[in-house]
Amino acid sequence: MSAIATAAPTVPEIEDDRTSLTKEGLKRAFFDHLFYTLGKFPAIAGKNDMYLALAHAVRDRTLQRWICSAAEYMDQAPRTVAYLSAEFLMGPHLGNNLINLGIYDEVREAVREMGLDFAELLRQEEEPGLGNGGLGRLAACFIDSLATAEVPTIGYGIRYEYGIFYQTIIDGYQVENTDKWLRYGNPWEIRRAEWAVEVKLGGHTEQYSDDHGRLHVRWAHDKTVMGVPFDSPILGYRVNTTNTLRLWRAEATEAFDFSVFNRGDYLGAVSKKVTSENLTKALYPNDETPQGKELRLEQQYFFVSCSLQDMLRLHLIRKLPLEQFDQKFAIQLNDTHPAIAVAELMRLLVDEHQMAWDDAWRITTRTFSYTNHTLLPEALERWPLELFQRILPRHLEIIYEINARFLNDVRIRFMGDESRIVRLSLIDESGERYVRMAHLACVGSHTINGVAELHSELLKQDVLRDFYEMWPEKFTNVTNGVTPRRWMVLSNPRLTGLITETIGDDWITDLPRLAGLESHAADAGFRDAWRKVKRDNKIDLAALIRRRTGVVVAPDSMFDVMVKRIHEYKRQHLAVLHIATLYHRIKSGRDGDIVPRTFVFGGKAAPGYHMAKLIIKLITSVADVVNNDPGVRDLLKVVFLPNFNVTHGQCVYPGAELSEQISLAGKEASGTGNMKFAMNGALTIGTMDGANIEIRQQVGAENFFLFGHTAQEVQEIKSRGYRPRDFYEANAELRAVLGLIQSGFFSRGDQDLFKPIVEGLLGWDPYLLLSDYASYIQCQERVNAAYLDAEAWTRMSIVNCANSGQFSSDRSVAEYCRNIWRVGPRPISLHAKEELQSLPPDGAGRYGRYDR
Ligand SMILES: *Cc1c(COP(=O)(O)O)cnc(C)c1O
């Protein structure tokens, strides 16, 4: 029946321990889950049943560690990191959990012995795409590294029913489809209905005085939604620590349903239930401008309120005084999406726990820290005052109070500087009034960080300059990183094998040890082995490309890859200008020694971002012409890999040879894709932007292809008055290439299709493509020349990997722990299951009745 059963599976002998790690124990658990959890027997089980049975068997093997971690945290109440993020782009769990548990090979063997295809089983998992890109993926890398560092952590976020849309390409255009990732169930999560919390929305506020005549404010809300936590285990790598990712789902409250129901309006009650559940229905794709989406503000407030109430519950059941809250929790705001937490914690402490304002404010500002993720002014979140007032009337009052006190301090510090007051205010009053979320985050946090050195500098000089002048001591940098467990060990087993054979396996949790590879770059045998790894990875990537696009690409061509969200500032269209330039050269008989290249693009455009969607159409249109022109003699192939996500990334980064990191300098906060490429041995062509600068510093200028204006030069060009036409007039090849696009050559004669792109470039060119074009083309010529010398290229590839140790998220979280959160490891010892399962004599839980 099942397409992947190549032989009839046999049920192994009975064994006692249901979480045994032996192959026989694993097989037993697999069949038990197929039978008892899924209600299937092998002959009628499909691939997905097989995946689910295996996933449940693996989840069982995480539970002892998870429960021991939870028990230790409950008993000892260690200082805990709460990482608040509206996005967690986790990627599939199964393979990663096998790696972190240290049972990957055993399980693969057991699965093989049962006659099943292990890779095919892994492919069944629908990836939880609960993020847009870099920011959500960073949160996922950080909670992996925190668990590995044995730091007590809870990741708090939203359990979107639909994650980031599923992208297909139809007729060269992006088409969005819903991502029904929960369709077949999620074996990794446990619903904790007993820890649900209520979240209020809307209404108005009222003052009242208590028995002592003190004034208080009551929030007379008009809507209540229930937040139900869904927990997934986050395993550290080969340690017992197993932390929790707690994602909130909105559900209707019973009380709320009943009030409508009692009026006899059954359908009305049901439809209100549906309305409540809409709150966590879908992830918002990063739009051009994030403003004005009512449901999004509700989502943000919802998950923040749930999370803070949950932390207060945990704090209070441990019988700790509220005044110690900031000693027990370090809360990180991953961008401004959770920034409303500053006002919500104040509300909870002042209104619900009757704390004095000044005490509450001291606790709040000692609890929060804020990570900024963007240098694009249009991407800074602000909410129309009217909308904010309607949904969160009490929070607006609290924000006014915070603002009044803050601006008083500003007045005293900068006497008479009224324009500074206007710039710093939490309320933007320049036109329609807005609440500025970044300002709320800055005022409410003890530490503010950027995500790469240049970004942190630009925050101080530019985006958050007034805050820097107010509180220079709050500002710091933590350069991003990525987890080597997912991005090397899991996704690149060949490279992992070669590295471990050569320098041992300590690098997996101590990435700077990769430096030990550098001396082997001089060894021709090692270079051969390195090249073979890359070639095999390229063959895998070519197979993925063929499966997804039907295009056949040559593994011997250079794999030149640009995968990331589609955005004008990232400049995918600059890469297209390069391809069109090569094409034009070949067609005009000036192909010289152009090495065969395969250009791989991937990434999603926000559904409302028309220019980004047109860039996708440009890529696919150029691909159509180039790939079908016998005149380019297979020198060039261009593919757009649809639906780029973590799963695809695991195949793409290991198979890449050239990493395109070509954003306009001063626009990309950090980038993390750049790091994944470098650790997997790709060379970078890039601008002096984000973490590219630090990568180049680490790997050496001679092993990095640098081009383009610096952030400083960009500022100067812009302040002089940038005239893209001057660059156009001065460069014949650029004129020819833009002319090709303009003439309809890539659009079957349609001269209108790409007009917005061409006219945009010639008219104002906000991301300075034309001023960087010549430098980029020359740099690509150096890349071409370097690739002709395979030995030298391999040496550079090894050196890139060997010097990528800085870019482990283990290093990033260690810096956060030391400098921002002031939190340390809390190793977990395993208790025997018998001990964990024994009932206390009085039948009550160890912690009394601390929940429902
Ligand atoms: C790493 C990653 C990103 C971020 O890529 P950048 O090149 O840093 O923008 C986006 N999406 C996915 C799926 C990733 O894995």
Side-chain angles (χ1 to χ4, degrees), residues 66-78 195 313-319 831 835-836 838-852:
W66 200 10
I67 287 168
C68 288
S69 303
E72 167 82 12
Y73 297 164
M74 191 52 70
D75 262 357
Q76 302 296 317
W195 295 328
R313 173 183 66 82
L314 290 168
H315 191 76
L316 294 174
I317 58 170
R318 288 154 170 166
K319 309 228 175 351
H831 299 272
E835 187 190 328
L836 293 166
S838 64
L839 270 180
D842 58 358
R846 239 152 121 201
Y847 308 99
R849 266 176 42 81
Y850 69 79
D851 54 34
R852 279 157 242 267

Side-chain angles (χ1 to χ4, degrees), residues 262 273 408 647 754 756 783:
N262 288 341
K273 178 172 151 66
N408 249 337
T647 308
F754 298 122
V783 170

Side-chain angles (χ1 to χ4, degrees), residues 526-544:
F526 184 75
R527 288 200 304 272
D528 261 341
W530 191 269
R531 253 195 311 276
K532 166 120 176 46
V533 164
K534 184 58 82 179
R535 199 186 136 84
D536 288 346
N537 290 343
K538 287 169 73 180
I539 290 171
D540 286 352
L541 177 51
L544 175 72

Side-chain angles (χ1 to χ4, degrees), residues 626-641:
V626 169
N627 295 351
N628 296 310
D629 186 338
V632 300
R633 296 188 319 282
D634 289 331
L635 277 177
L636 308 179
K637 280 278 178 299
V638 183
V639 294
F640 189 92
L641 187 63

Side-chain angles (χ1 to χ4, degrees), residues 613-665:
K613 293 175 111 172
L614 191 58
I615 291 173
I616 292 180
K617 176 63 176 170
L618 178 65
I619 295 168
T620 55
S621 301
V622 169
D624 264 351
V625 170
V626 169
N627 295 351
N628 296 310
D629 186 338
V632 300
R633 296 188 319 282
D634 289 331
L635 277 177
L636 308 179
K637 280 278 178 299
V638 183
V639 294
F640 189 92
L641 187 63
N643 200 46
F644 179 67
N645 59 8
V646 172
T647 308
H648 286 158
Q650 289 175 196
C651 182
V652 169
Y653 296 110
E657 292 178 289
L658 185 66
S659 157
E660 297 272 356
Q661 306 300 334
I662 62 177
S663 53
L664 175 64

